[in-house]
Amino acid sequence: MGFIEKISSIHLDILKEIGNIGAGHAATALSKLLNKKIDMKVPNVQIVSFDEMMNMAGGAENVVAGVFLRIEGEAPGSMFFVLPVEQATSFIREMIGDESFSLESPPYSEIGLSALQELGNILSGSYLSSLSDFTNLSLYPSVPALSIDMVGAIISYGLIELSHVSDYAIVIDTALNEDEDESAEYVKGHFFLLPDPDSFQIIFKSLGVPHND
Amino acid sequence: MIESKTIIKVGIADMNIVKTPDIIRTSGLGSCVGVVIYDQTREIAGLAHVMLPDSSLAKSGVLNIAKYADTAVKDLVSKLIRHGARANFLKAKIAGGAQMFQFSGGSDMMRIGPRNVEAVKLELAALNIAIVAADVGGNSGRTIEFNPQNCILHIRTVNKGIQEL
């Protein structure tokens, strides 16, 4: 019946490794870009309901800066890079060298938004290219789109494709932290990778693990 | 006097009904549409958080009726009537259906917000339910809250604060 029932623990382990490799490269890119140490958590792969997914990102009403892109190619899907607003502000300030930049209320400065979009582009690009190398699939990112809004409103967009088939999502979530930060509890950024339903089979097959037994 | 007011939360692709003194809310509507249908004299209201326009889009598995505009509106109305609302007195307020991201090219999937709104309007018209107020489209997320007693819909957006409909 549903594709989710066919997923076994070995499949989840493979997805975890995908998250690990992808986000590892992205974290390195972020670290180079900002010249800072960036910590990465062990990826979390979960089968969650849509509501639970919102909770993973801090609750549907939590305001974040989200970069969204579609993955096109052999294994299509959606990808989000979600940052708390304060964190996004400080990254942007660092990148454009303007301490007065703020995401408190619009209109935001063009260059700041463009910088954030580029940040999302670089990070998701490095995530995807490592994923593409690992699976030998050709994957292309769309131009990233940026939104500063409620998590629920942002992420539900990436769930649309999936929601045609299921009420659950397989989320590959990797959290990033700035190293100097004392409060280890406070997760700074998230990568969410949401492969389209048909893509799971393709990913597993490319790695030599059949999906159907 | 302190009223014991409960806020009933409706998740994504979910629906529920509420009676005075409780209020009902759903958070983080993006391209999804929040449909409130109510009978003011009976002080009863229902809220559905609709995600997709049409249940014929469903590809497999058990159909979640709250997810699709066509099935959710019908089911919400019959639920309300079962709980004492009268069909002729039903009115609706809707919010949501935003376009969160602007993409060049714009495939059909990217236009999901406006399509959801159209589908909800069509379904309400088919059931002869008037839309009293609507705050749809745009490009920001909304959290909505409805009080069946005074039938005011509170809409909160990140940048515009709270608006009443």
Side-chain angles (χ1 to χ4, degrees):
Chain A
M1 198 179 65
F3 74 97
I4 278 179
E5 284 81 357
K6 292 185 200 148
I7 301 276
S8 68
S9 66
I10 183 157
H11 291 131
L12 291 182
D13 277 346
I14 289 171
L15 297 176
K16 201 180 264 188
E17 189 52 23
I18 285 175
N20 205 5
I21 293 173
H25 280 82
T28 311
L30 182 61
S31 169
K32 279 196 185 135
L33 192 66
L34 298 171
N35 207 7
K36 265 187 184 163
K37 245 179 133 179
I38 301 286
D39 250 3
M40 192 184 92
K41 295 255 170 72
V42 177
N44 186 2
V45 177
Q46 278 184 42
I47 300 177
V48 292
S49 71
F50 296 162
D51 282 320
E52 282 167 335
M53 169 140 195
M54 305 305 167
N55 291 336
M56 284 170 83
E61 270 197 276
N62 184 24
V63 178
V64 295
V67 178
F68 167 62
L69 56 101
R70 281 289 299 167
I71 303 165
E72 283 146 24
E74 290 175 67
S78 298
M79 184 174 208
F80 290 94
F81 178 53
V82 174
L83 276 175
V85 172
E86 310 80 54
Q87 197 64 24
T89 312
S90 88
F91 281 173
I92 294 172
R93 282 181 183 165
E94 212 143 322
M95 284 173 75
I96 63 174
D98 176 4
E99 281 303 309
S100 66
F101 180 82
S102 150
L103 285 173
E104 284 303 304
S105 63
Y108 314 120
S109 93
E110 281 289 322
I111 182 144
L113 291 187
S114 169
L116 186 56
Q117 214 157 341
E118 188 51 27
L119 180 77
N121 199 12
I122 292 170
L123 298 193
S124 38
S126 51
Y127 193 124
L128 269 191
S129 58
S130 67
L131 177 56
S132 171
D133 286 348
F134 176 56
T135 56
N136 240 332
L137 296 168
S138 49
L139 304 169
Y140 326 94
S142 73
V143 176
L146 175 71
S147 178
I148 291 135
D149 215 308
M150 302 175 191
V151 162
I154 291 177
I155 287 187
S156 60
Y157 224 74
L159 295 174
I160 289 168
E161 200 58 40
L162 205 60
S163 67
H164 288 126
V165 244
S166 172
D167 285 310
Y168 293 88
I170 297 176
V171 188
I172 305 167
D173 171 20
T174 316
L176 300 174
N177 253 327
E178 246 179 280
D179 199 38
E180 300 113 72
D181 196 42
E182 297 294 304
S183 52
E185 290 295 298
Y186 185 44
V187 173
K188 301 290 192 176
H190 284 278
F191 274 106
F192 292 115
L193 179 64
L194 294 164
D196 286 354
D198 296 336
S199 299
F200 286 101
Q201 174 104 43
I202 297 164
I203 293 173
F204 293 139
K205 208 173 149 199
S206 73
L207 297 170
V209 185
H211 188 210
N212 289 336
D213 50 5
Chain B
M1 196 185 85
I2 300 166
E3 271 184 47
S4 59
K5 203 185 259 184
T6 318
I7 298 176
I8 296 175
K9 286 189 182 142
V10 174
I12 183 166
D14 186 16
M15 63 161 91
N16 213 333
I17 58 171
V18 66
K19 285 178 180 170
T20 306
D22 297 345
I23 52 180
I24 194 161
R25 85 185 298 193
T26 193
S27 313
L29 287 166
S31 56
C32 304
V33 177
V35 190
V36 178
I37 302 175
Y38 61 97
D39 178 346
Q40 182 153 20
T41 49
R42 296 276 159 96
E43 298 185 7
I44 180 171
L47 170 63
H49 186 137
V50 171
M51 206 172 171
L52 293 169
D54 191 344
S55 59
S56 64
L57 294 172
K59 284 176 189 153
S60 75
V62 192
L63 188 68
N64 174 2
I65 43 177
K67 189 154 69 181
Y68 304 95
D70 57 338
T71 47
V73 170
K74 270 194 205 95
D75 194 65
L76 193 58
V77 168
S78 61
K79 258 203 182 79
L80 284 166
I81 289 172
R82 269 206 305 284
H83 285 84
R86 291 157 304 169
N88 300 338
F89 289 79
L90 290 178
K91 291 196 169 71
K93 292 188 178 182
I94 62 175
Q99 182 121 4
M100 296 303 298
F101 296 99
Q102 314 297 330
F103 278 100
S104 54
S107 73
D108 228 22
M109 177 205 138
M110 297 306 167
R111 274 194 69 249
I112 197 79
R115 280 170 61 208
N116 280 336
V117 174
E118 280 162 36
V120 166
K121 282 185 174 165
L122 217 63
E123 202 52 45
L124 287 169
L127 294 166
N128 268 325
I129 298 171
I131 299 173
V132 179
D135 177 28
V136 294
N139 51 16
S140 47
R142 297 169 171 93
T143 285
I144 61 171
E145 208 171 84
F146 188 80
N147 183 340
Q149 192 165 21
N150 54 19
C151 294
I152 288 177
L153 182 68
H154 290 264
I155 301 170
R156 198 176 73 80
T157 54
V158 172
N159 295 318
K160 282 178 262 166
I162 295 178
Q163 196 192 341
E164 283 183 4
L165 277 186

